[in-house]
Amino acid sequence: MILVSACLAGEPCRYNGLGFTCPAVAALVTAGKALAVCPELLGGLSTPRPPAEIFVDRVLTVVGEDVTAAYHEGAQLALKLARQAGCRTAILKARSPSCGCGQIYDGSFSGRLIPGDGVFVALLKQAGIVVQTEEDKIIGMNETGE
Ligand code: SF4
């Protein structure tokens, strides 16, 4: 069982109320080979919601709200689901403050990228789960979810 970001499977759970469908990821879920989770929704956030970025050790929205606790709570719940399903690998949404792997936005909301992991990915790596992004695995994505 592969762990995947729910938005990559087409669920409209992103901050902007849309999904980010990756056909190959959606096919894995349909075939019963992948578990789709959205750690931000599991943490109690709603969609749509203000965009957020990691700044040092906090997660802040564009309007300055500190949502760090919700991000960590959702990551823990999503990790629990991943363990229950026996996931050892993951394909997660690139550059997200939760699901980003290896590269995230710098907290200035200016589009600048820095090396780093999202909150969920940092936790998964600690748990020994191997993470890749949809950009590592698959070419061809479409914004969906309206
Ligand atoms: Fe997608 Fe992850 Fe953001 Fe949820 S937290 S919308 S699964 S990138």
Side-chain angles (χ1 to χ4, degrees):
M1 190 65 97
I2 301 169
L3 180 67
V4 300
S5 292
C7 57
L8 293 179
E11 289 187 34
C13 52
R14 297 181 74 212
Y15 72 94
N16 58 5
L18 302 176
F20 198 90
T21 303
C22 179
V25 169
L28 285 172
V29 174
T30 302
K33 295 178 179 172
L35 171 71
V37 297
C38 175
E40 292 176 24
L41 294 193
L42 286 168
L45 300 174
S46 56
T47 186
R49 55 189 175 279
E53 295 187 3
I54 296 175
F55 184 70
V56 193
D57 62 344
R58 312 304 298 171
V59 188
L60 304 173
T61 72
V62 69
V63 293
E65 184 187 0
D66 189 330
V67 288
T68 309
Y71 271 62
H72 283 280
E73 186 179 333
Q76 291 286 354
L77 287 170
L79 172 61
K80 191 173 171 187
L81 294 175
R83 280 187 166 136
Q84 286 170 351
C87 300
R88 310 276 310 168
T89 60
I91 304 171
L92 301 184
K93 175 73 185 71
R95 295 178 292 280
S96 153
S98 287
C99 295
C101 181
Q103 199 176 44
I104 53 172
Y105 293 106
D106 72 351
S108 66
F109 296 93
S110 63
R112 219 167 20 232
L113 291 164
I114 55 172
D117 294 324
V119 170
F120 184 38
V121 168
L123 190 65
L124 291 176
K125 286 183 174 180
Q126 283 173 23
I129 294 176
V130 177
V131 183
Q132 293 182 299
T133 75
E134 80 284 10
E135 294 177 356
D136 297 321
K137 295 292 284 186
I138 300 145
I139 299 168
M141 291 153 286
N142 301 302
E143 291 263 356
T144 62
E146 289 164 310

